[in-house]
Every structure is written in structure tokens, then in C-alpha cells.
Coordinates of all heavy atoms in Angstrom, one line a residue:
I102 N 0.8 -1.2 0.0 CA 0.0 0.0 0.0 C 0.9 1.3 0.0 O 0.6 2.2 -0.7 CB -0.9 0.0 1.2 CG1 -2.0 -1.1 1.1 CG2 -1.7 1.3 1.3 CD1 -2.8 -1.4 2.3
L103 N 1.9 1.2 0.8 CA 2.8 2.4 0.9 C 3.6 2.6 -0.4 O 3.6 3.7 -0.9 CB 3.9 2.1 2.0 CG 4.9 3.2 2.3 CD1 4.2 4.5 2.8 CD2 5.9 2.8 3.3
V104 N 4.0 1.6 -1.0 CA 4.7 1.6 -2.3 C 3.7 2.1 -3.4 O 4.1 2.9 -4.3 CB 5.4 0.3 -2.7 CG1 5.9 0.4 -4.1 CG2 6.5 -0.1 -1.7
G105 N 2.5 1.6 -3.4 CA 1.5 2.0 -4.4 C 1.2 3.5 -4.3 O 1.0 4.1 -5.3
R106 N 1.1 4.0 -3.1 CA 0.8 5.4 -2.9 C 2.0 6.3 -3.5 O 1.7 7.3 -4.2 CB 0.6 5.7 -1.5 CG -0.7 5.3 -0.9 CD -0.8 5.7 0.6 NE -0.8 7.1 0.8 CZ -1.8 7.9 0.8 NH1 -3.0 7.4 0.5 NH2 -1.7 9.2 1.0
W107 N 3.2 5.9 -3.3 CA 4.3 6.6 -3.8 C 4.3 6.5 -5.4 O 4.6 7.5 -6.0 CB 5.6 6.0 -3.3 CG 5.9 6.3 -1.9 CD1 5.3 7.3 -1.1 CD2 6.8 5.6 -1.0 NE1 5.8 7.2 0.2 CE2 6.7 6.2 0.3 CE3 7.7 4.5 -1.1 CZ2 7.4 5.8 1.4 CZ3 8.4 4.1 0.0 CH2 8.3 4.7 1.2
A108 N 4.0 5.3 -5.9 CA 4.0 5.1 -7.3 C 2.9 6.0 -8.0 O 3.0 6.6 -9.0 CB 3.7 3.6 -7.7
K109 N 1.7 6.1 -7.3 CA 0.6 6.9 -7.8 C 1.0 8.3 -7.9 O 0.8 9.0 -8.8 CB -0.6 6.7 -6.9 CG -1.8 7.6 -7.3 CD -2.9 7.5 -6.3 CE -4.0 8.5 -6.6 NZ -5.1 8.5 -5.6
G110 N 1.7 8.9 -6.8 CA 2.1 10.2 -6.8 C 3.1 10.6 -7.9 O 3.1 11.6 -8.6
L111 N 4.0 9.6 -8.1 CA 5.0 9.8 -9.2 C 4.4 9.7 -10.6 O 4.7 10.5 -11.5 CB 6.1 8.7 -9.1 CG 7.3 8.9 -10.0 CD1 8.0 10.2 -9.8 CD2 8.3 7.7 -9.7
L112 N 3.4 8.8 -10.8 CA 2.7 8.8 -12.0 C 1.9 10.1 -12.3 O 2.0 10.5 -13.5 CB 1.7 7.6 -12.0 CG 2.3 6.2 -12.3 CD1 1.2 5.1 -12.0 CD2 2.8 6.1 -13.7
I113 N 1.3 10.6 -11.3 CA 0.6 11.9 -11.5 C 1.5 13.0 -11.9 O 1.3 13.8 -12.8 CB -0.3 12.2 -10.3 CG1 -1.4 11.2 -10.1 CG2 -0.8 13.6 -10.4 CD1 -2.1 11.4 -8.8
A114 N 2.7 13.1 -11.1 CA 3.6 14.2 -11.4 C 4.2 14.1 -12.8 O 4.4 15.1 -13.4 CB 4.7 14.2 -10.3
T115 N 4.7 12.9 -13.2 CA 5.3 12.8 -14.5 C 4.3 12.9 -15.6 O 4.5 13.4 -16.6 CB 6.0 11.4 -14.6 OG1 5.2 10.4 -14.2 CG2 7.3 11.4 -13.6
G116 N 3.1 12.3 -15.4 CA 2.0 12.3 -16.4 C 1.6 13.8 -16.6 O 1.3 14.2 -17.8
K117 N 1.5 14.6 -15.6 CA 1.2 16.0 -15.7 C 2.1 16.7 -16.7 O 1.7 17.5 -17.5 CB 1.1 16.7 -14.4 CG 0.9 18.1 -14.4 CD 1.0 18.7 -12.9 CE 0.9 20.2 -12.9 NZ 1.0 20.8 -11.6
V118 N 3.4 16.5 -16.5 CA 4.4 17.1 -17.4 C 4.3 16.6 -18.8 O 4.3 17.4 -19.8 CB 5.8 16.9 -16.8 CG1 6.9 17.5 -17.8 CG2 6.0 17.5 -15.4
L119 N 4.1 15.3 -19.0 CA 4.1 14.7 -20.3 C 2.9 15.2 -21.1 O 2.9 15.3 -22.3 CB 4.1 13.2 -20.2 CG 5.4 12.5 -19.7 CD1 5.2 11.0 -19.5 CD2 6.5 12.8 -20.7
L120 N 1.8 15.5 -20.4 CA 0.5 15.9 -21.0 C 0.4 17.4 -21.1 O -0.6 17.9 -21.4 CB -0.7 15.3 -20.3 CG -0.8 13.8 -20.4 CD1 -1.9 13.3 -19.5 CD2 -0.9 13.3 -21.8
D121 N 1.5 18.1 -20.6 CA 1.5 19.6 -20.6 C 0.3 20.2 -19.9 O -0.2 21.2 -20.3 CB 1.5 20.1 -22.1 CG 2.7 19.8 -22.8 OD1 3.8 19.7 -22.2 OD2 2.7 19.5 -24.1
R122 N 0.0 19.6 -18.7 CA -1.0 20.2 -17.9 C -0.4 21.2 -16.9 O -0.1 20.9 -15.7 CB -1.7 19.1 -17.1 CG -3.2 19.4 -16.7 CD -3.5 18.8 -15.4 NE -2.9 19.5 -14.3 CZ -3.1 19.2 -13.0 NH1 -3.9 18.1 -12.7 NH2 -2.6 19.8 -12.0
E123 N -0.2 22.4 -17.4 CA 0.5 23.4 -16.6 C -0.3 24.7 -16.4 O 0.2 25.7 -15.9 CB 1.9 23.8 -17.3 CG 2.8 22.6 -17.5 CD 3.4 22.0 -16.2 OE1 3.2 22.7 -15.1 OE2 3.9 20.9 -16.2
M124 N -1.5 24.7 -16.9 CA -2.3 25.9 -16.9 C -2.8 26.3 -15.5 O -3.4 27.3 -15.3 CB -3.5 25.8 -17.8 CG -3.1 25.7 -19.3 SD -2.0 27.0 -19.8 CE -3.1 28.5 -19.7
D125 N -2.5 25.5 -14.5 CA -2.8 25.9 -13.1 C -1.5 26.3 -12.3 O -1.5 26.5 -11.1 CB -3.4 24.7 -12.3 CG -2.5 23.4 -12.3 OD1 -1.6 23.4 -13.2 OD2 -2.8 22.4 -11.6
H126 N -0.4 26.5 -13.1 CA 0.9 26.9 -12.4 C 0.8 28.4 -12.2 O 0.1 29.2 -13.0 CB 2.0 26.6 -13.4 CG 3.4 26.8 -12.7 ND1 4.0 28.1 -12.7 CD2 4.2 26.0 -12.1 CE1 5.1 28.0 -12.1 NE2 5.3 26.7 -11.7
P127 N 1.4 28.9 -11.1 CA 1.4 30.4 -10.8 C 1.9 31.3 -11.9 O 1.4 32.4 -12.0 CB 2.3 30.5 -9.5 CG 2.2 29.2 -8.9 CD 2.1 28.2 -10.0
V128 N 2.7 30.8 -12.7 CA 3.3 31.7 -13.8 C 2.2 32.1 -14.8 O 2.2 33.1 -15.5 CB 4.4 30.9 -14.6 CG1 3.9 29.8 -15.5 CG2 5.2 32.0 -15.4
V129 N 1.1 31.3 -14.9 CA 0.0 31.6 -15.8 C -0.7 32.8 -15.3 O -1.0 33.8 -16.1 CB -1.0 30.4 -15.9 CG1 -2.2 30.8 -16.8 CG2 -0.3 29.2 -16.6
D130 N -1.0 32.9 -14.0 CA -1.7 34.0 -13.5 C -0.7 35.3 -13.6 O -1.2 36.4 -13.8 CB -2.1 33.8 -12.1 CG -3.2 32.8 -11.9 OD1 -4.0 32.7 -12.9 OD2 -3.3 32.1 -10.9
E131 N 0.5 35.0 -13.4 CA 1.5 36.2 -13.5 C 1.5 36.8 -14.9 O 1.6 38.0 -15.0 CB 2.9 35.7 -13.0 CG 2.9 35.3 -11.5 CD 4.2 34.7 -11.1 OE1 5.0 34.4 -12.0 OE2 4.4 34.4 -9.9
I132 N 1.5 35.9 -15.9 CA 1.4 36.4 -17.2 C 0.2 37.3 -17.5 O 0.2 38.4 -18.0 CB 1.5 35.3 -18.2 CG1 2.8 34.6 -18.2 CG2 1.2 35.8 -19.7 CD1 3.0 33.4 -19.0
R133 N -0.9 36.8 -17.0 CA -2.2 37.6 -17.1 C -2.1 38.9 -16.4 O -2.6 39.9 -16.9 CB -3.4 36.8 -16.5 CG -3.7 35.5 -17.3 CD -5.0 34.8 -16.9 NE -5.3 33.6 -17.6 CZ -5.9 33.6 -18.8 NH1 -6.3 34.7 -19.3 NH2 -6.1 32.5 -19.3
E134 N -1.6 38.9 -15.2 CA -1.4 40.2 -14.4 C -0.5 41.2 -15.2 O -0.8 42.4 -15.1 CB -0.8 39.9 -13.0 CG -1.7 39.1 -12.1 CD -1.0 38.7 -10.8 OE1 0.2 39.1 -10.7 OE2 -1.7 38.0 -10.0
L135 N 0.5 40.7 -15.9 CA 1.4 41.5 -16.6 C 0.7 42.2 -17.8 O 1.0 43.3 -18.1 CB 2.6 40.8 -17.1 CG 3.7 40.5 -16.0 CD1 4.7 39.6 -16.6 CD2 4.4 41.8 -15.5
L136 N -0.2 41.5 -18.4 CA -0.7 41.9 -19.7 C -2.1 42.6 -19.6 O -2.5 43.5 -20.3 CB -0.8 40.8 -20.7 CG 0.5 40.1 -21.1 CD1 0.4 39.0 -22.1 CD2 1.5 41.2 -21.6
E137 N -2.9 42.1 -18.6 CA -4.3 42.6 -18.4 C -4.2 43.5 -17.2 O -4.6 43.2 -16.1 CB -5.3 41.5 -18.2 CG -5.4 40.6 -19.5 CD -6.5 39.6 -19.3 OE1 -6.9 39.3 -18.2 OE2 -6.9 39.0 -20.3
I138 N -3.7 44.8 -17.5 CA -3.6 45.8 -16.4 C -4.9 46.5 -16.1 O -5.6 46.9 -17.1 CB -2.5 46.8 -16.8 CG1 -1.2 46.1 -17.1 CG2 -2.3 47.8 -15.7 CD1 -0.1 47.0 -17.6
P139 N -5.4 46.5 -14.8 CA -6.6 47.3 -14.5 C -6.6 48.7 -15.0 O -5.5 49.4 -14.9 CB -6.7 47.1 -13.0 CG -5.9 45.9 -12.6 CD -4.8 45.9 -13.7
D140 N -7.7 49.2 -15.4 CA -7.8 50.6 -15.8 C -6.9 51.0 -17.0 O -6.5 52.1 -17.2 CB -7.5 51.6 -14.7 CG -8.5 51.3 -13.5 OD1 -9.7 51.0 -13.7 OD2 -8.1 51.4 -12.3
D141 N -6.5 50.0 -17.8 CA -5.7 50.2 -19.0 C -6.6 50.9 -20.0 O -7.5 50.3 -20.5 CB -5.1 48.9 -19.5 CG -4.2 49.1 -20.7 OD1 -3.9 50.2 -21.0 OD2 -3.9 48.1 -21.3
P142 N -6.2 52.1 -20.5 CA -7.1 52.7 -21.5 C -7.1 51.9 -22.8 O -8.0 52.0 -23.6 CB -6.4 54.1 -21.7 CG -5.0 54.0 -21.2 CD -5.1 52.9 -20.1
A143 N -6.0 51.2 -23.1 CA -6.0 50.4 -24.3 C -6.8 49.1 -24.2 O -7.1 48.4 -25.2 CB -4.5 50.0 -24.7
E144 N -7.2 48.7 -23.0 CA -8.0 47.6 -22.8 C -7.4 46.3 -23.4 O -8.1 45.6 -24.1 CB -9.5 47.8 -23.3 CG -10.2 48.9 -22.6 CD -11.6 49.1 -23.0 OE1 -11.9 48.6 -24.1 OE2 -12.4 49.6 -22.3
T145 N -6.1 46.1 -23.2 CA -5.5 45.0 -23.7 C -5.9 43.7 -23.0 O -5.9 43.7 -21.8 CB -3.9 45.1 -23.6 OG1 -3.5 46.3 -24.3 CG2 -3.2 43.9 -24.1
R146 N -6.3 42.7 -23.7 CA -6.8 41.5 -23.2 C -6.2 40.3 -23.8 O -5.9 40.2 -25.0 CB -8.3 41.4 -23.3 CG -9.1 42.4 -22.5 CD -9.0 42.3 -21.1 NE -9.7 43.2 -20.3 CZ -9.3 44.4 -19.9 NH1 -8.0 44.7 -20.1 NH2 -10.0 45.3 -19.2

């Protein structure tokens, strides 16, 4: 059971990278904050 739990965690971590599931990473929100500035007269989105 202990080994299986470790294997499951490793499968999830490596599978996430292989499938490019990164849109929940903090850098995504940081990119949005840089480009979508509040009260921007150009209304860049």
C-alpha cells in the first residue's frame, strides 16, 4: 500500500508534465497580471 501510494504520486507528477497540464501553475496568473492591467485605456486582453 505504501509503495503503491508513492507510485501513484510519481505517475501523476510525471504524467502532468508529459501531457503539458501546466495551466494551473502560478506563472499563468502572473502572465495575465502583466498583460491585463486594470484601468488600462488600451483595454489589452
